[in-house]
Amino acid sequence: MVNFSLKGKTAIVTGAAQGLCNAIAQAYHDAGAVIVLVDVCDKVKDAAQAMSSEDAPVYYAQGDLTDTENLQNLVNECEEKLGGHIDILLNGAGIQFRCNAEDFPEDRWDSIIRINLSSVFFMAQKVGRKMIKQGYGKIINIASMCSFFGSTMIPAYTASKGGVAQLTKALSNEWACKGVTVNAIAPGYMITKLTENMKEVNPKGYEEITGRIPIGRWGEPGDLDGISVFLASDASAYISGAVIPVDGGYLGK
Ligand SMILES: NC(=O)c1ccc[n+]([C@@H]2O[C@H](COP(=O)([O-])OP(=O)(O)OC[C@H]3O[C@@H](n4cnc5c(N)ncnc54)[C@H](O)[C@@H]3O)[C@@H](O)[C@H]2O)c1
């Protein structure tokens, strides 16, 4: 029988205080996993409380994923809260900044690459070592349609997400044979804090995008639930190194 259940599994979900990864965390919780939400933002505590139920507590660990000196402690804290083992890592924390390439500030470039790309690698490395030891693990990175096309005004974001897609394949090539699959989800245009001002700032662009999405609407956080649970479950046992678009058909047009 196909097994989509996450009962008995444990998961770390980063960037889970809000937005897409908060919804993914909820889906993992609903599918039976014990989860820890990781985020730099204070709201992560309330998010964990809101998700917790009497018989299934949801844990949280507050920390900055770009703080490489403390990253091992953060991973250890998560592992302890999860009862000593980590089955699933969803690397979702990310940031965005829009500016034409010729004026793009160096500090913004650095911070975007550090959170969107470098922290994905170092989290995968630290959790991956533990998964390799136990001979089992599921790593799921959040890429973007900008992993496939270049877009405009977001050069650092595009570079970081192109990197996430390639990193996903590179890690899969080394670790799939050790029981650790590595995949990525590439969301299309989704309505979250990251994109909510697009409608006001650039109404024409917003309408153009909407008109180009075959399904006819922007995605919502819950639209990633199915693929996220699938890639974390044993139903996806033979999938690794894949970068899967969830974009309302946008890339096919
Ligand atoms: N919204 C979209 O249209 C869209 C499309 C494609 C990909 N994505 C990707 O999905 C992921 C989630 O995006 P979202 O739209 O939910 O954004 P969001 O801003 O709502 O959530 C991102 C979360 O990451 C956290 N975070 C940021 N920097 C951090 C750090 N240094 N350490 C720990 N946590 C940190 C934030 O506090 C926030 O809770 C991101 O990787 C984003 O690039 C979003």
Side-chain angles (χ1 to χ4, degrees), residues 14-22 24 38-44 61-67 74 91-96 111 114-116 119-120 141-146 157 160-161 164 185-196 218-219 221 224 246:
T14 78
Q18 63 179 34
L20 302 180
C21 298
N22 183 267
I24 292 170
V38 175
D39 206 292
V40 70
C41 172
D42 292 345
K43 284 197 314 196
V44 67
Q62 191 173 356
D64 183 345
L65 293 160
T66 63
D67 180 2
L74 190 65
N91 266 320
I95 55 172
Q96 167 72 289
S111 58
R114 279 173 65 207
I115 176 67
N116 291 13
S119 87
V120 170
N141 299 324
I142 301 297
S144 160
M145 289 199 296
C146 298
Y157 185 83
S160 71
K161 293 297 184 177
V164 167
I185 299 167
Y189 289 100
M190 316 292 288
I191 299 165
T192 67
K193 287 254 178 287
L194 207 71
T195 53
E196 67 182 359
W218 284 48
L224 299 182
V246 181

Side-chain angles (χ1 to χ4, degrees), residues 83-103:
H85 79 285
I86 306 161
D87 296 308
I88 301 154
L89 167 65
L90 186 125
N91 266 320
I95 55 172
Q96 167 72 289
F97 181 71
R98 305 185 76 81
C99 177
N100 52 306
E102 62 272 31
D103 298 321

Side-chain angles (χ1 to χ4, degrees), residues 22-201:
N22 183 267
I24 292 170
Q26 179 73 58
Y28 285 177
H29 177 64
D30 294 344
V34 178
I35 59 172
V36 55
L37 315 185
V38 175
D39 206 292
V40 70
C41 172
D42 292 345
K43 284 197 314 196
V44 67
K45 184 179 177 189
D46 292 342
Q49 258 162 19
M51 230 176 259
S52 285
S53 46
E54 215 165 272
D55 53 339
V58 169
Y59 303 100
Y60 74 94
Q62 191 173 356
D64 183 345
L65 293 160
T66 63
D67 180 2
T68 40
E69 277 184 17
N70 255 320
L71 203 59
Q72 189 63 59
N73 291 337
L74 190 65
V75 169
N76 292 347
E77 181 187 342
C78 293
E79 186 183 35
E80 201 176 302
K81 287 179 170 160
L82 293 174
H85 79 285
I86 306 161
D87 296 308
I88 301 154
L89 167 65
L90 186 125
N91 266 320
I95 55 172
Q96 167 72 289
F97 181 71
R98 305 185 76 81
C99 177
N100 52 306
E102 62 272 31
D103 298 321
F104 206 88
E106 188 176 334
D107 59 339
R108 293 284 192 169
W109 173 274
D110 286 341
S111 58
I112 289 172
I113 297 295
R114 279 173 65 207
I115 176 67
N116 291 13
L117 180 58
S118 305
S119 87
V120 170
F121 174 65
F122 290 117
M123 274 302 280
Q125 185 186 52
K126 285 174 174 43
V127 175
R129 281 180 189 140
K130 295 176 189 288
M131 289 176 165
I132 288 166
K133 260 195 206 143
Q134 70 198 15
Y136 179 87
K138 299 270 195 181
I139 297 177
I140 301 144
N141 299 324
I142 301 297
S144 160
M145 289 199 296
C146 298
S147 302
F148 300 97
F149 59 61
S151 197
T152 51
M153 309 282 287
I154 51 170
Y157 185 83
T158 298
S160 71
K161 293 297 184 177
V164 167
Q166 291 302 89
L167 177 62
T168 298
K169 296 171 210 171
L171 295 178
S172 167
N173 291 344
E174 290 196 40
W175 294 349
C177 60
K178 297 176 179 172
V180 181
T181 61
V182 188
N183 292 292
I185 299 167
Y189 289 100
M190 316 292 288
I191 299 165
T192 67
K193 287 254 178 287
L194 207 71
T195 53
E196 67 182 359
N197 67 351
M198 174 96 179
K199 203 171 180 175
E200 289 84 54
V201 174

